Amino acid sequence: MATSGKVIRCRAAVAWAAGKPLSVEEVEVAPPKAGEVRIKIVAASICRTDDYVAHGGFPNIDFPIIPGHEGAGIVESVGEGVTSVKPGDKVIPLCIPNCGECTFCLNPEANYCVKSHFSEPQNLMPDKTSRFTCKGKQIRHFLWVSTFAEYTVTPECAVAKIDSAAPLDKVCLLGCGFSTGYGAAINTAKVKPGSTCAVFGLGGVGLSVVMGCKVAGASRIIAIDINKDKFAKAKELGATDCINPQDFNKPIQEVVTEMTGHGVDYSFEAIGRVDTMIAALASCNMNTGVFVMVGELPSGGVVPVDPLLLLTGRTWKGTLVGGSKARNFIPRLVSSYLEKKFNSDLLITHTLPFAKVNEGFELLRAGKSIRTVLLF
């Protein structure tokens, strides 16, 4: 391409400081170095985690930073030594890399990687420099992805090639939100046919859990939220029961236990609140129940738990981006999407031009959107 090897000037949404609205700026994006890929982002979607970043609630980040971690685009150019993608390929950037060399990557059952943000911050590229500058200042990357930019640079291990037939404005949310929820049911919980499930929180991730439970063959899926406006969509996606904790004068875990006899086989929390995590844990069967923590507590949050909840045999699990190696799992999800095994389009409630990124966050905070897609 004509831009290969050159600095590209383009728009990006910069978070200059915690708690401030994002500012759409002209930024300079340097060419990819060895082992790196520069991507033209076609569409990005807004996830609650990006809101945490903008408010300074995500661990180990520095400002100024370009957030965004759900997106899809086309490879513009590649650095020396890159072999898995080439210019023109459709790709999804990955918020959990897959270096292929660490003990996690070499373990077929693991989907973590030592190059992930939870081991070492991904605010700068592996060589400890940034590819973004704005107004003469170095701008930090977010999870090596930074999809709120028209062009972004990622290491090769943090990008996956997808089917060329994939519509980028639809599959962009498979980079995190959908894969996290759907995979929590399919890969982490391993929901069995005929089982019962409870899902706390019906945002984009929670509704993706509902879809995963349905595809896995669950016979009963209880969807729980204090926003009744989410119930119609939850039922459309597979929920059999929808309940609002505010309609009862007893703890919601007691309601779920009474509805099912001894609690559900699998429970999921997709909000990131201490009270709902404890309720979800207590809602699953006291002996064989599995609770999967999908929601993300703000940095520094602590969950106080009665040990008897676990002593009787319950399992409490965490999950990261769907519990499967993202570099393989996400392209497979794209293929399943094209085969119409699920319809993640139903999660997209709003589509906005990129310049209205802050409006997209307002919709999220007001509970009016499930997923907003930003188009460049």
Side-chain angles (χ1 to χ4, degrees), residues 11 13 22-24 352-360 374-376:
R11 291 176 302 158
L22 298 180
S23 177
V24 176
L352 295 174
F354 176 65
K356 293 188 176 180
V357 57
N358 286 310
E359 191 178 310
L374 303 171
L375 298 178
F376 288 92

Side-chain angles (χ1 to χ4, degrees), residues 25-80:
E25 308 273 8
E26 184 181 80
V27 300
E28 293 86 43
V29 184
K33 294 187 180 179
E36 297 175 358
V37 180
R38 188 160 62 181
I39 304 163
K40 177 179 172 58
I41 299 292
V42 173
S45 44
I46 296 175
C47 174
R48 177 75 63 180
T49 301
D50 297 312
D51 201 26
Y52 282 151
V53 174
H55 282 89
F58 196 85
N60 302 320
I61 58 163
D62 299 317
F63 292 89
I65 190 169
I66 296 173
H69 63 288
E70 289 182 2
I74 297 165
V75 175
E76 175 269 339
S77 60
V78 299
E80 186 185 337

Side-chain angles (χ1 to χ4, degrees), residues 9 11 46 56 68 70 72 88-89 94 105 120 192 222 264 318 324 362:
R9 285 181 176 76
R11 291 176 302 158
I46 296 175
E70 289 182 2
D89 284 347
L94 310 173
C105 285
E120 187 175 336
K192 292 176 183 169
I222 303 168
V264 291
S324 186
E362 286 162 19

Side-chain angles (χ1 to χ4, degrees), residues 223-228 231 242-248 252 255:
I224 302 159
D225 203 298
I226 57 171
N227 182 349
K228 289 183 174 178
F231 291 173
C242 292
I243 56 176
N244 180 345
Q246 295 174 339
D247 290 344
F248 304 91
I252 194 66
V255 176

